[in-house]
Amino acid sequence: MLAYHDLLGTLAPCVITNADDAVVWEMESFGFLAGARPATVHPGLWRLSRRAVRHGLYQVCEGIYQVRGFDVSNMTFVESDRGVIVIDPLTSTETAAAALRLYRRHRGERAVVAVVHTHSHGSHGGGVLGVVDADSTVPIIAPTRFLNTLARNVSTAPAVQRRGAYCSGAALAHGPRGKVDIEEAADPVVAAAHLLAPTLEITDTGMDEEIDGIRMIFQLVPGTEWPAEMNVFFPCARALFMADQVGQSMSDLVPLRGGPARDARMRSRGIAEAIELFADDIDVVFAAHHWPSSGRAEALAFLRDHRDMYAYLHDQTVRRLNQGYTGIEIAEELRLSPRLTAQPHTAGRSGSLNHNVKAISQHYLGWYDGNPAHLWLHPPRAQAARYVALLGGVEVMVAKAREFAAAGDLRFAAELGSHAVFADPENAAARATLAAVFERLGNGAECASWRNCYLSGAAELRSGRGSPARRPGVAPALGITQLFDTIASTIDGPRAWSHELSIRWVFTDSAEIYHMELSNGALIHHPAIRPRPADLEVTLTKPGLLVLLDTGSLDHVQTSGDTAVWSRLLALTDAADPDFPIVTP
C-alpha cells in the first residue's frame, strides 16, 4: 500500500500554458530551492517553500488523491463507484485541466461526477471549467450563501488585486533575492477564471450526501476563513478535509491584500467542533493547502494545535485590549506557549502572529485606537510634508533614515524613508534609501506575504514595475443585484450629484423586474415591489445583461423610452486603476 505522502507522478517540466502557448503556471523557476539556503531568506520560510514546491499527484489515503504545486492551492480527487469527485478546482481553467489530466494519466479516465466548492475564494474554484463543461449537469456542491459572498470578490476587485500583487510578489523575479513562495508562479492575466453557480447547497452541519457511492458529511464553518465555508468528512476513507481552516502554517486573520478581519474565536470553535464530530473516526486530516497529517494521533494533535493557537491569540488579545493596550502594542509583546512555538505548523509563514493580533483588535474595535490625537491624522502626503519641514528638508530626513538603518532600526528607517518619498516622490536618494530598507526587511521576514510586500515595494521604488490584475470570470454566477452593484461602485458621485434618471429592468428568463434610479449621486437598485414610471425600460435576459455590461450597447435588447438615459449613466462611471502606486503618492 502507498504511504500517505507518496508521489505518483508529475509534469516534467512543470509548465502549464494556455491555448496561445502563454505560460499560465510554472514551477521550473523555483529550482533554486533545491540548493543551500541563502542569507537573504528566513530559515523557516525557506523550509516551508522547499516542501511547498514539491509538485505532482499524491495519494492522501486509499481512494483520495491531491495534485499539489499546480496552482496556489491543492486540487483533490475522491474516487467514487464510476468516476471521481473534484474538490476545489484551483484558480484557472488551464491549471485545473492540467491537474485532471495528470490524475487520469495515473488513475484512469474517470469521469467527474461532482464538484465541491468549499468556499468562494477564486483560488479554490476559478478553474471549474477545466474539469466540467459550462452546461454540465454534474452537481456543483457548495455551502449556503456561497454566491452571496462573491460580492466581496467583485466590488473591490481592482484594489484587492493590486494590493494582492504585493502580497503574492507577482512582479518579483523568482529567486533568493526575490520570490520564494508559490502564492503566484506565473502571470495571472493569461489565465482563464470562471465560476459556476451551485446546484446543491449545504445548509446545515451534519448534512449527509451520497454521490456515486461516496458518502460525505459536511460541517459548515461560516465566518472563519470566509463568510460561507465548509469542511467535508469522508467516512469510507476515515479522512477529514479541512478546507482553509488549518494548514502547515499559521493562517492570516486579515489578508494583507484587503478584506474584513476574520474571527479567530470562530475559527478555533470550528476546529473544536470538527474534533468533536469526527475525532473517533479519522485517520488523516488534509486541506486545500500544503500536505496532510496522517495517523490518528498526529492528525488530532495537528487539529488541537490549531484550535489552541487561534483561541489563545483571540483570548490574550482581548484580555490586553480590555486593559487599555492597543493592537500594535499587544502585537509587540504577545507570544505563543513554548510548545506551540516549537510546532512548525503554527509558525507565521503564511500569516503572522504580529498582524493577526492587529486583525483581532480590528475585528472588535476598528481602526481607531481610542487616542484623540490619532482621530484626525493628516493623509500620508500632507503628513510627510510636515515631517520633512520639521526635520529640515528631504535630504536631512534621508540621512536620518540611513542612520537608523545602519543602527539596525529598519522599522523606523522605513517610516522616515516613506515620509521622504511622499514629500518628494522624484527624489532618487529617498527612493533608493527606502528601497534598500525594504529589501533588508523582506530578506529577514519569516512570513511570505511580509517578504513579498517589502520586496514588491522595493521593486516599485526602483523600477516602477506594476503587476497586471486578473479579470475574474465570475460574472455569470452573480445575481442581478450583484451585477448592478458592479455599476453602482463605479459611479463618480460628485459628477452625478445633479443628475437624475431611472430605468426599469424586465428579465424575461426569471420573471423579475428591477427598479434603478440615480439619486443624489447614488445608484439605487432593487426588485420592483410596485409599478412605477421610469425614463427607460429595458427587457432582456440575465445573459443579455452580461453582454450589455460587457459591451455597453443596447442594440441586442428590447427598449422603450429614452435610450439616452443608459448613455448618460455610463458617462458618469469612473474606471478603476489596476496599477495604482502603493509606496509613492
Side-chain angles (χ1 to χ4, degrees):
M1 178 181 292
L2 290 168
Y4 285 118
H5 306 295
D6 276 2
L7 174 67
L8 277 68
T10 191
L11 289 180
C14 187
V15 179
I16 300 169
T17 58
N18 65 11
D20 298 323
D21 288 330
V23 174
V24 172
W25 183 265
E26 61 83 24
M27 295 296 283
E28 300 309 294
S29 61
F30 289 99
F32 66 91
L33 287 165
R37 181 187 69 85
T40 54
V41 186
H42 188 283
L45 179 57
W46 184 261
R47 286 192 296 271
L48 181 69
S49 298
R50 280 171 64 97
R51 291 203 67 176
V53 297
R54 296 178 186 175
H55 51 81
L57 176 67
Y58 289 82
Q59 183 177 36
V60 175
C61 59
E62 193 68 33
I64 299 181
Y65 300 82
Q66 283 188 319
V67 170
R68 304 181 200 133
F70 275 37
D71 210 317
V72 299
S73 58
N74 302 331
M75 189 156 112
T76 301
F77 301 89
V78 181
E79 294 182 349
S80 59
D81 288 349
R82 294 178 298 278
V84 65
I85 298 167
V86 172
I87 303 178
D88 288 351
L90 305 183
T91 303
S92 73
T93 300
E94 296 88 352
T95 55
L100 181 59
R101 286 194 298 270
L102 179 64
Y103 166 79
R104 285 173 169 167
R105 182 190 307 164
H106 292 275
R107 297 298 302 165
E109 290 292 324
R110 290 174 172 264
V112 174
V113 297
V115 175
V116 177
H117 291 305
T118 59
H119 59 297
S120 57
H121 274 167
S123 57
H124 295 258
V128 65
L129 294 188
V131 298
V132 295
D133 296 328
D135 58 355
S136 172
T137 58
V138 165
I140 308 294
I141 306 171
T144 186
R145 299 186 66 250
F146 176 81
L147 289 181
N148 293 351
T149 64
L150 282 177
R152 294 191 179 188
N153 291 353
V154 175
S155 297
T156 56
V160 169
Q161 288 167 0
R162 177 68 178 114
R163 289 165 52 126
Y166 259 56
C167 305
S168 64
L172 299 178
H174 301 172
R177 293 188 175 276
K179 183 175 174 59
V180 300
D181 64 292
I182 65 166
E183 181 62 24
E184 291 278 1
D187 183 348
V189 169
V190 300
H194 302 87
L195 201 63
L196 296 180
T199 60
L200 174 58
E201 285 199 346
I202 304 304
T203 57
D204 297 287
T205 289
M207 190 167 165
D208 194 319
E209 294 289 334
E210 185 171 314
I211 302 288
D212 195 30
I214 294 296
R215 182 181 171 215
M216 294 177 280
I217 303 175
F218 297 92
Q219 179 202 7
L220 293 181
V221 283
T224 52
E225 177 79 7
W226 199 241
E229 186 163 0
M230 66 185 184
N231 302 324
V232 191
F233 176 61
F234 297 92
C236 62
R238 297 178 61 85
L240 176 61
F241 184 77
M242 289 292 287
D244 270 2
Q245 302 300 295
V246 297
Q248 299 296 337
S249 169
M250 181 187 298
S251 185
D252 54 356
L253 295 179
V254 65
L256 298 185
R257 64 181 178 271
R262 296 156 179 167
D263 192 329
R265 180 163 59 184
M266 289 299 293
R267 183 183 288 260
S268 176
R269 287 178 176 172
I271 299 168
E273 182 182 61
I275 295 171
E276 288 297 305
L277 290 171
F278 308 118
D280 293 337
D281 303 305
I282 59 174
D283 287 334
V284 60
V285 169
F286 63 115
H289 298 274
H290 304 134
W291 50 92
S293 290
S294 308
R296 184 170 182 272
E298 178 184 324
L300 288 178
F302 179 75
L303 290 175
R304 289 180 183 126
D305 286 347
H306 282 271
R307 176 198 64 187
D308 297 350
M309 173 177 63
Y310 293 116
Y312 184 88
L313 288 178
H314 174 274
D315 295 346
Q316 297 308 306
T317 300
V318 170
R319 177 177 70 89
R320 297 299 267 167
L321 287 173
N322 287 329
Q323 293 172 344
Y325 291 88
T326 66
I328 292 175
E329 292 170 326
I330 301 166
E332 287 298 299
E333 68 166 26
L334 197 147
R335 298 292 181 270
L336 296 175
S337 70
R339 186 193 169 280
L340 286 178
T341 299
Q343 305 306 313
H345 49 257
T346 59
R349 292 161 194 159
S350 298
S352 83
L353 185 149
N354 188 283
H355 77 243
N356 280 346
V357 168
K358 297 169 187 172
I360 296 167
S361 175
Q362 175 183 321
H363 176 73
Y364 283 106
L365 299 182
W367 62 269
Y368 176 47
D369 66 3
N371 184 341
H374 303 152
L375 187 59
W376 194 24
L377 293 173
H378 286 289
R381 195 162 192 180
Q383 195 176 71
R386 286 158 174 78
Y387 273 99
V388 166
L390 184 67
L391 283 179
V394 170
E395 291 73 18
V396 177
M397 180 167 276
V398 171
K400 286 295 182 184
R402 289 171 177 162
E403 287 179 20
F404 278 98
D409 190 349
L410 298 175
R411 294 161 67 178
F412 193 60
E415 185 175 341
L416 290 177
S418 181
H419 283 319
V421 168
F422 268 74
D424 187 359
E426 303 308 316
N427 188 298
R431 294 173 75 103
T433 298
L434 182 56
V437 170
F438 280 166
E439 285 163 351
R440 290 178 63 186
L441 285 166
N443 292 342
E446 181 175 14
C447 177
S449 58
W450 282 38
R451 175 186 176 88
N452 292 335
C453 284
Y454 283 126
L455 297 186
S456 294
E460 183 182 328
L461 288 164
R462 293 195 187 281
S463 63
R465 290 178 60 186
S467 302
R470 182 193 304 276
R471 290 184 61 193
V474 301
L478 297 177
I480 292 170
T481 293
Q482 293 169 319
L483 290 171
F484 285 156
D485 282 340
T486 65
I487 309 174
S489 62
T490 65
I491 297 295
D492 184 337
R495 284 201 294 125
W497 285 342
S498 61
H499 291 263
E500 292 186 358
L501 55 84
S502 59
I503 304 175
R504 176 181 171 88
W505 300 88
V506 180
F507 291 92
T508 57
D509 52 347
S510 61
E512 294 176 284
I513 299 175
Y514 277 72
H515 176 76
M516 175 182 286
E517 64 180 279
L518 186 65
S519 176
N520 293 307
L523 188 65
I524 309 301
H525 56 87
H526 50 78
I529 299 175
R530 57 183 176 82
R532 63 174 73 187
D535 301 323
L536 170 66
E537 181 172 299
V538 181
T539 302
L540 73 176
T541 61
K542 182 185 170 185
L545 177 61
L546 293 172
V547 174
L548 175 59
L549 295 180
D550 186 49
T551 64
S553 173
L554 292 169
D555 291 345
H556 66 287
V557 299
Q558 177 184 336
T559 63
S560 63
D562 184 5
T563 55
V565 165
W566 177 246
S567 299
R568 285 172 53 204
L569 181 63
L570 290 184
L572 294 170
T573 59
D574 197 13
D577 180 1
D579 192 28
F580 56 80
I582 292 180
V583 294
T584 57

